[in-house]
């Protein structure tokens, strides 16, 4: 949110690349891009979507702060896009419970996990496609992981669909920003990628 206010909201692929890889924050003795915070630290130093390498190479001192992967982080991170999970406040004392609640709320929304029981089709957010490795091996395991957070009728329908042959589809990602007043993206951010 801070970077969106200071630099503006990226609207295209090139702007998003500059934004997530160029915007940097200093935390303790290290500097991190938004990409490095998400994929390096919070995702256990896994390759981000559409990248060839992991954020931190062998010997990088920032590897010391890498966390084990917890797929529920995808239900908590917000990059400013309309399709992102809502912005929430998390606490150290109750983080596990709060991530569980965020997961349940995210799975309940049909835009994120939609099920057509009759046609045996599960439609998932692109987040589940981009970060599939965080949820499991193969689409069946991804849906099984998500089903554990479903409640009521949705849980029953997902449980039924998981017992049969089903198809997984991914919905388009809505990158638009729901803010009423959006700061235009500052093209000078492209320099962030060159000057570090």
């Amino acid at each position: 949110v801070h970077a969106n206010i200071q630099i503006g909201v990226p609207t295209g692929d090139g702007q998003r690349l500059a934004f997530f890889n160029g915007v940097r924050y200093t935390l303790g003795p290290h500097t991190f891009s938004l990409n490095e915070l998400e994929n390096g630290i919070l995702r256990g130093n896994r390759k981000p979507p559409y990248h060839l390498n992991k954020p931190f190479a062998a010997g990088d001192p920032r590897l010391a702060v890498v966390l084990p992967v917890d797929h529920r982080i995808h239900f908590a991170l917000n990059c400013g896009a309309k399709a992102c999970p809502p912005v929430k406040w998390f606490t150290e004392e109750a983080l596990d419970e709060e991530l569980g609640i965020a997961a349940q709320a995210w799975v309940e929304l049909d835009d994120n996990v939609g099920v057509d029981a009759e046609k045996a089709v599960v439609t998932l957010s692109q987040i589940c496609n981009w970060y599939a490795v965080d949820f499991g091996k193969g689409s069946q395991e991804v849906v099984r992981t998500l089903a554990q957070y479903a409640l009521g009728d949705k849980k029953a329908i997902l449980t039924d669909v998981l017992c049969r042959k089903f198809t997984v589809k991914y919905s388009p990602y809505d990158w638009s920003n729901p803010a009423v007043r959006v700061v235009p993206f500052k093209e000078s951010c492209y320099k962030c990628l060159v000057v570090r």
Side-chain angles (χ1 to χ4, degrees), residues 46-66:
R46 289 188 171 177
K47 281 193 292 186
Y50 309 109
H51 284 66
L52 300 174
N53 301 309
K54 295 177 179 182
F56 307 137
D60 190 318
R62 297 173 297 174
L63 285 169
V65 294
V66 168

Side-chain angles (χ1 to χ4, degrees), residues 32-145:
F32 300 92
S33 69
L34 297 173
N35 176 37
E36 291 164 340
L37 288 169
E38 178 179 0
N39 299 292
I41 295 180
L42 298 176
R43 292 190 58 237
N45 201 36
R46 289 188 171 177
K47 281 193 292 186
Y50 309 109
H51 284 66
L52 300 174
N53 301 309
K54 295 177 179 182
F56 307 137
D60 190 318
R62 297 173 297 174
L63 285 169
V65 294
V66 168
L67 299 173
V69 178
D70 182 338
H71 60 265
R72 299 176 303 168
I73 199 68
H74 299 295
F75 311 133
L77 293 176
N78 182 299
C79 70
K82 188 174 182 180
C84 285
V87 175
K88 295 180 189 72
W89 186 263
F90 294 90
T91 64
E92 182 180 354
E93 306 78 39
L95 183 60
D96 188 59
E97 181 181 0
E98 291 162 351
L99 285 173
I101 292 167
Q104 287 177 333
W106 193 87
V107 168
E108 278 305 301
L109 293 175
D110 288 337
D111 286 348
N112 298 325
V113 181
V115 188
D116 183 333
E118 202 172 291
K119 294 180 181 175
V121 174
V122 178
T123 305
L124 302 176
S125 162
Q126 276 296 333
I127 290 171
C128 298
N129 186 23
W130 294 329
Y131 302 104
V133 66
D134 295 356
F135 294 97
K137 294 178 182 170
S139 57
Q140 178 129 6
E141 206 170 304
V142 171
V143 173
R144 191 175 311 286
T145 297

